[in-house]
Amino acid sequence: MLLTRIKGPRDLDRLSQDELNQLAAEIRSFLVDAVSKTGGHLGPNLGVVELTIALHRVFESPKDKVLFDTGHQAYVHKLLTGRQDFGNLRSKGGLSGYPSRAESDHDVIENSHASTVLGWADGLAKANEVLGREDHHVAAVIGDGALTGGMAWEALNNIAAAKDRPLVIVVNDNERSYGPTIGGLANHLATLRTTDGYERFLARGKELLERTPVVGKPLFETLHGAKKGLKDFIAPQGMFEDLGLKYIGPIDGHDIEALESALQRAKRFSGPVIVHCLTQKGRGYTPALEHEADRFHAVGVIHPDTGLPVKTAAASWTSVFADEMVKLGHEREDIVGITAAMLHPVGLHKFAEAFPDRIYDVGIAEQHGATSAAGLATGGVHPVFAVYATFLNRAFDQVLMDVALHKCGVTFVLDRAGVTGDDGASHNGMWDMSILQVVPGLRLAAPRDAEQLRAQLREAVEVKDAPTVVRYSKGVVGPAVPAVGRIGGMDVLRTPAPEVTRPDVLIVSVGALAPMCLEIADLLDKQGISSTVVDPRWVKPVDEALAPLADRHRVVVTVEDNGRTGGVGSAVSQALRDAGVDVPLRDFGIPQRFLDHALRKEIMAEIGLTAPDIARQVTGLVAKLDGRYEDEPAATVD
């Protein structure tokens, strides 16, 4: 096999065109076989095989910087830079599903949030200029979906300001992000795809006019001199050229020779150039091409021949939300849905099918989505903006200043909250409950099971004068966790034995960690330590009944699937201090560091967020209190 002979990009230089095409076929076969066993981003990588080969033939990585926006299409890049062991892809100790600096000098950007690559490219090109590195080049690959993000256009505006600063922007145009790309840019790119190229028109015109006696040649030169206007008419790439960006394309993104020719021309140019490549997501794999929803953007473990899942998926948090949104849509005509280019992943596809006139896909533009939601609410409807928890980080200012300041009734539904695992550091939803704590008036719910998700979503959309947030985990929703009572707005999940007058520990359980908290209580009970377990349901604001309840216990423990800094534990601690309750508090959550990719359960064990780990520490705390309890008051532990 040719692929096994590729140890680095320069090994590509020795291959003929026929061998390069053979290599492309081998890579596709490898990807289908490998990713079907591990899960991962299959469709995007099948679409960029020839493009990645051409990039590494033309540019000299790592001296030249080859950058990938988002990075979910970097599997081919990994293969060509010496990383061909995909056996543990996205698993602990194996290859990351995104570029990783720890893996290779060829990887530059690890952040897998979209629309950032042009900002990186602009900075790297400026650095080359400042340091006089004229033999260094920057090539940034960005999809048409990522071009819907505002950051991309902010960067383009800056890139275009320097007419003589070399930078190659490769638009990987497959008409999709997760699903089909929407919006004005998508329409413009569609026009470029379907219009005969200017150069082809001009060549035919030149041939015809040069055969015309007397007036032919002057007429051709006149037309050629007016080529800007003619280009806009024949192939309207003027939008890019109006920004001051040289445009090459559209290029067949599966023709290695044509790609190399275009990239070589762009590399030689002394300023910023856009190379517009047309690719096919899922190319070469029939099950992906026939999967209209997202062309196998991301798959679990599948059968390589059929593309069907090996295991039947159980009900997920996302599916519970999806079904409840449809019910709400039938009950209330004022409810609308918003997604940021992720209709299926966040579960709004069913709502879109039932109410096509009440769904808005804003593209990869979370900031715009949040402010648009504020406008919708002000206009008299109730928007539900479903987004991954990690991506809401990008719209914090809009949540604060547009939605909350204006007291707009907008519901944000945060999918993939907490530790998500195999997608790596930037996809863990571990910051939302910290950053949202500072937003005045915002109310935040963390449902523990499917029944509570349905109930709290309904409670959220009833709020008309403030933003509400409902956040839940990735994957399968667990069994129902029934309440045995209610104190204030909090559900009581477990009480100590009736004869216990002052229980040892109050466990404040946040969201889907309720089963773990009940397990902690069981383990403590075996050590003779009594406990009460409560689920606040709404973790912001802190329930007024919590402080007096805490005052009836010796220790308070909070357990959350969020960063410890500024999270629910911190909010509870502050509420107890404000109420004058001097009870020791221990908060358990995610340490404030970037977490390597691994299974969720592996990460939880690594950071000590498991029932045995927590029970062991709480047992030690109670034992310490017992040893000094009569001599001195216990200090508060934050």
Side-chain angles (χ1 to χ4, degrees):
M1 288 180 61
L2 288 172
L3 180 56
T4 59
R5 290 160 43 190
I6 304 300
K7 306 302 181 184
R10 299 285 54 84
D11 290 336
L12 298 170
D13 297 343
R14 296 188 292 271
L15 301 184
S16 67
Q17 285 298 321
D18 286 343
E19 287 175 320
L20 291 172
N21 291 329
Q22 179 186 337
L23 175 64
E26 288 182 10
I27 289 174
R28 284 198 170 86
S29 178
F30 176 94
L31 290 174
V32 171
D33 180 66
V35 179
S36 66
K37 294 183 175 111
T38 63
H41 290 98
L42 183 55
N45 285 283
L46 293 173
V48 297
V49 176
E50 291 85 0
L51 175 57
T52 310
I53 291 172
L55 281 164
H56 278 299
R57 293 252 299 175
V58 171
F59 294 96
E60 298 179 26
S61 177
K63 183 188 77 172
D64 295 337
K65 303 305 179 187
V66 179
L67 316 174
F68 296 91
D69 193 85
T70 310
H72 57 245
Q73 76 288 59
Y75 294 3
V76 186
H77 164 76
K78 288 176 185 274
L79 291 173
L80 299 180
T81 52
R83 289 166 282 173
Q84 297 182 10
D85 182 2
F86 273 49
N88 291 311
L89 177 69
R90 302 168 71 241
S91 297
K92 187 173 184 178
L95 290 179
S96 167
Y98 294 92
S100 168
R101 290 179 172 183
E103 288 179 8
S104 173
D105 291 340
H106 296 280
D107 291 2
V108 180
I109 309 172
E110 296 191 7
N111 176 11
S112 49
H113 288 193
S115 308
T116 64
V117 74
L118 298 186
W120 277 91
D122 179 51
L124 285 164
K126 287 173 178 173
N128 286 340
E129 183 179 55
V130 169
L131 298 176
R133 296 188 295 224
E134 296 182 359
D135 61 336
H136 287 55
H137 300 85
V138 179
V141 180
I142 184 168
D144 56 304
L147 274 177
T148 62
M151 276 192 67
W153 290 93
E154 292 172 20
L156 282 172
N157 183 54
N158 281 271
I159 289 168
K163 311 295 185 191
D164 57 352
R165 185 184 300 135
L167 172 59
V168 178
I169 300 167
V170 179
V171 177
N172 172 33
D173 182 3
N174 60 20
E175 306 179 57
R176 290 171 171 270
S177 49
Y178 286 83
T181 306
I182 56 89
L185 174 67
N187 292 335
H188 179 84
L189 292 176
T191 303
L192 292 179
R193 292 185 207 106
T194 56
T195 305
D196 282 345
Y198 161 77
E199 301 296 343
R200 190 184 310 159
F201 173 88
L202 197 62
R204 290 199 299 266
K206 179 179 180 181
E207 181 182 353
L208 177 63
L209 290 172
E210 285 186 339
R211 292 203 305 264
T212 304
V214 186
V215 299
K217 187 173 182 179
L219 182 55
F220 168 76
E221 291 174 350
T222 300
L223 288 173
H224 193 58
K227 80 174 182 178
K228 176 61 172 68
L230 188 61
K231 275 191 172 183
D232 284 348
F233 176 73
I234 301 302
Q237 62 266 47
M239 178 177 69
F240 296 114
E241 294 196 343
D242 285 344
L243 284 172
L245 300 166
K246 180 70 174 176
Y247 175 91
I248 300 174
I251 308 296
D252 181 351
H254 302 294
D255 183 332
I256 296 175
E257 193 170 7
L259 286 166
E260 285 190 43
S261 175
L263 291 171
Q264 287 286 9
R265 279 183 283 148
K267 182 180 177 181
R268 289 193 297 267
F269 192 66
S270 59
V273 184
I274 283 184
V275 180
H276 182 192
C277 304
L278 308 183
T279 63
Q280 185 181 38
K281 190 174 183 178
R283 185 176 179 88
Y285 187 40
T286 300
L289 295 175
E290 293 178 347
H291 192 261
E292 187 55 31
D294 67 3
R295 297 279 178 88
F296 281 15
H297 180 87
V299 298
V301 178
I302 59 174
H303 192 288
D305 295 331
T306 65
L308 296 175
V310 170
K311 295 182 179 179
T312 302
S316 66
W317 290 94
T318 307
S319 67
V320 174
F321 163 71
D323 293 337
E324 197 63 22
M325 269 295 289
V326 174
K327 293 179 182 177
L328 283 168
H330 284 297
E331 295 169 18
R332 287 180 47 176
E333 294 183 352
D334 65 322
I335 287 183
V336 301
I338 302 175
T339 176
M342 301 179 71
L343 189 69
H344 284 77
V346 298
L348 279 175
H349 57 292
K350 292 184 178 181
F351 186 88
E353 292 167 3
F355 311 103
D357 296 330
R358 289 158 56 186
I359 188 75
Y360 302 99
D361 187 340
V362 298
I364 302 178
E366 292 85 0
Q367 293 172 300
H368 166 68
T371 301
S372 178
L376 282 161
T378 302
V381 299
H382 192 104
V384 176
F385 187 2
V387 61
Y388 283 10
T390 182
F391 296 145
L392 187 72
N393 303 349
R394 315 181 82 182
F396 172 73
D397 185 65
Q398 288 69 31
V399 173
L400 179 68
M401 292 300 177
D402 293 322
V403 183
L405 176 65
H406 293 86
K407 296 181 170 61
C408 295
V410 176
T411 296
F412 296 91
V413 173
L414 306 188
D415 202 324
R416 273 71 164 177
V419 172
T420 57
D422 48 17
D423 277 331
S426 64
H427 268 54
N428 290 310
M430 55 179 279
W431 294 280
D432 57 289
M433 290 199 294
S434 297
I435 63 176
L436 294 175
Q437 285 289 346
V438 304
V439 179
L442 181 142
R443 308 176 199 186
L444 197 158
R448 65 181 180 269
D449 57 24
E451 179 183 343
Q452 286 301 305
L453 170 52
R454 288 187 282 263
Q456 291 179 265
L457 176 62
R458 287 178 172 273
E459 293 168 25
V461 297
E462 290 297 326
V463 177
K464 299 180 180 179
D465 60 352
T468 52
V469 177
V470 180
R471 59 106 69 179
Y472 47 79
S473 303
K474 177 183 179 180
V476 176
V477 62
V481 181
V484 298
R486 175 70 69 98
I487 298 177
M490 302 181 295
D491 279 347
V492 180
L493 306 184
R494 177 186 172 120
T495 58
E499 64 271 15
V500 177
T501 57
R502 189 185 187 197
D504 293 306
V505 182
L506 172 63
I507 302 174
V508 180
S509 168
V510 178
L513 299 186
M516 178 196 294
C517 290
L518 291 173
E519 184 183 351
I520 293 168
D522 287 339
L523 293 171
L524 294 176
D525 188 58
K526 292 176 181 178
Q527 301 297 320
I529 299 172
S530 58
S531 62
T532 303
V533 181
V534 295
D535 171 13
R537 301 183 72 251
W538 290 85
V539 297
K540 174 179 164 54
V542 176
D543 196 290
E544 292 180 356
L546 184 59
L549 178 63
D551 202 28
R552 298 197 292 272
H553 291 73
R554 297 176 62 199
V555 176
V556 175
V557 170
T558 63
V559 185
E560 61 188 296
D561 195 3
N562 183 79
R564 291 181 63 227
T565 303
V568 176
S570 296
V572 170
S573 177
Q574 181 175 329
L576 297 186
R577 291 196 301 271
D578 290 347
V581 176
D582 295 322
V583 176
L585 183 145
R586 185 68 183 272
D587 58 322
F588 293 92
I590 303 171
Q592 232 53 60
R593 69 171 190 258
F594 295 112
L595 305 174
D596 291 335
H597 64 279
L599 294 176
R600 173 181 163 86
K601 65 180 181 180
E602 292 174 332
I603 294 176
M604 297 290 271
E606 180 185 324
I607 63 178
L609 201 56
T610 68
D613 286 323
I614 294 172
R616 189 179 308 112
Q617 293 189 56
V618 175
T619 298
L621 177 59
V622 172
K624 188 175 182 180
L625 289 174
D626 289 340
R628 66 184 185 185
Y629 190 75
E630 295 182 358
D631 299 325
E632 59 181 72
T636 299
V637 181
D638 287 337

